[in-house]
Every structure is written in C-alpha cells, then in structure tokens.
Amino acid sequence: MTFQPIDLRTWARREYFEHYFSAVPCQYSMTVKLDITGLRQRGLPLYPTMLYALARSVNRHEEFRTAFDGEGRLGIYDRLEPSYTVFHKDSQTFSCLWTEYQEDYAAFCRAYQADLDAYGSAEGFEGKPNTPPNVFNVSMIPWESFDSFHLHCPQGNSYLLPILFTIGRFYREGDRVLLPLAAQVHHAVCDGFHLCRLIGEVRAWLADGGPAAGGQPGREGAEK
C-alpha cells in the first residue's frame, strides 16, 4: 500500500474540494436496486461476490481512494481493501473484518473465507485486528429490503473515503432478483457522475453474470 500526497496548487479538483470540504461541508447518499438474477442462478456466494464487485470498481477510480493520511496530508491510496461487518446471533452484535482485495475473483473468495473462518466468531468491534488505514466500509442488513438508507455523520467531514456501502435483503420482482445497495460518499472528492459511474460498472458486471465461469470459488467460498 502506498499513499501519494496531492499538490493542491496543481490539483484540478481543488476548487470543488475546497467548496464541499470547507465552504459547504457535504456528504450524500444514493440507493439503487441491482439485478443479481444471474448470481443467484449460478449459486454464487452473495456477500463475498458483492464485496469483490465493489472493491473491483472502487480500486479503478482515484476519487474513491482519496483520503487524509495519519499525518493529515491529503492524497490518494494506490489501493483499498474492503472492510465488512459480520453478525453474531447470540449477542446480536456485529464485528468488522477486512480482506485484502485480489483481482482474481476465486482467490478473493478464498481469502474472504479464510478470514471468516479465522475471525468470524471473534466478538468486539474489530473482529480481525490491525485494520489498515486503506479500507472502505461495507455492511449488510439481510433482514430487510429498503428504498433509501442514509448514515448521519455529524463529525465525519474529514473522512473522505466511502463511509459506507450498505446491502439490504434481496427480493423477487417478476422473474428478476433485485438487491438494494446504498452508497454514501463525500462530495469534496466524489461527484454524482463518479458515483453513478461506479454503480454502472457494478451493474454491468452483475448483468454479465459476475465472474467468468472459470473464476468461480471452490466449495470453501460458496457460503450464501
């Protein structure tokens, strides 16, 4: 992982960043419905597949990797890893795990399953220790579908990475299976065009059936 500081004097986005970070601090959210019919027909594991799809597109675009580092410098990470929640039925609490993103879908699913096996039962906020700074957050609330989801962050203006992608309960509509996805981002680094482009990439990848037939995970990565 590397972090490249931004030179504000030459940064093309400087005017927009200063407006939405200082003059009018602003985050925004968007909720969409994704067609996952192909994924369900193929029996692919939903959570790791969606984590992969999001990480795949997040890592393609600098606006989702722009952040302040530990020294307060504005810059761009060369890559982000997905951090995601797992639910504990007994205590009705959740923990955060993270898995290194890998471009190979099957390899990512194996890494996800290994982290789930090693840390999935560990309670406490940080289930897998040593969370790196270059993570973006994903949560899943499979008990309910939704048309809108918004996270209120009254003191989160300096957090520039996507604060949350939230996945809801999928449902059937005719012959399609739809999945609600909410995304919340900081307007200082990410405009509506950028978020729509990312969602469009995820939607197109899902419409194509997700990973190629040869890239399916083995049995160890096939949990629904």
Side-chain angles (χ1 to χ4, degrees):
M1 179 267 292
T2 62
F3 182 83
Q4 179 62 49
I6 290 173
D7 185 349
L8 280 173
R9 297 170 300 177
T10 59
W11 193 30
R13 190 171 175 80
R14 175 178 177 173
E15 181 180 0
Y16 305 92
F17 175 82
E18 291 179 343
H19 180 76
Y20 287 117
F21 185 78
S22 300
V24 186
C26 180
Q27 298 179 12
Y28 68 94
S29 59
M30 178 185 296
T31 302
V32 298
K33 305 296 175 64
L34 300 175
D35 190 333
I36 60 167
T37 307
L39 298 187
R40 301 304 294 171
Q41 290 174 341
R42 293 177 62 186
L44 295 177
L46 180 59
Y47 204 11
T49 298
M50 288 304 303
L51 292 174
Y52 175 87
L54 291 168
R56 175 178 176 270
S57 289
V58 161
N59 278 299
R60 287 183 169 189
H61 304 292
E62 290 185 351
E63 59 269 12
F64 297 102
R65 294 182 278 111
T66 305
F68 290 106
D69 70 358
E71 300 177 18
R73 299 177 300 173
L74 178 66
I76 301 172
Y77 287 111
D78 65 329
R79 59 178 284 156
L80 294 185
E81 325 291 2
S83 171
Y84 50 93
T85 57
V86 294
F87 184 69
H88 305 297
K89 292 182 180 180
D90 291 341
S91 62
Q92 298 182 349
T93 61
F94 70 90
S95 297
C96 295
L97 309 186
W98 57 276
T99 297
E100 290 187 6
Y101 171 66
Q102 301 185 49
E103 291 186 6
D104 181 80
Y105 168 75
F108 175 79
C109 284
R110 288 193 294 269
Y112 162 86
Q113 191 63 46
D115 285 329
L116 193 63
D117 291 343
Y119 305 106
S121 61
E123 300 211 14
F125 185 80
E126 190 179 46
K128 180 181 177 180
N130 303 317
T131 303
N134 59 318
V135 296
F136 71 97
N137 302 294
V138 183
S139 69
M140 192 170 195
I141 48 175
W143 309 279
E144 188 61 75
S145 184
F146 51 77
D147 294 313
S148 179
F149 185 95
H150 181 75
L151 186 69
H152 295 276
C153 303
Q155 297 181 348
N157 189 54
S158 62
Y159 193 89
L160 302 179
L161 297 175
I163 185 62
L164 198 61
F165 289 97
T166 304
I167 303 168
R169 182 178 182 177
F170 65 81
Y171 63 96
R172 293 190 176 275
E173 187 175 272
D175 59 354
R176 299 190 302 161
V177 181
L178 301 180
L179 180 75
L181 172 70
Q184 184 150 321
V185 295
H186 203 304
H187 207 344
V189 295
C190 181
D191 299 329
F193 164 78
H194 302 118
L195 182 54
C196 288
R197 178 171 61 184
L198 179 138
I199 291 172
E201 288 179 356
V202 172
R203 180 176 280 123
W205 187 77
L206 294 172
D208 289 338
Q216 294 190 35
R219 292 171 59 91
E220 71 274 11
E223 301 252 8
K224 300 295 189 296

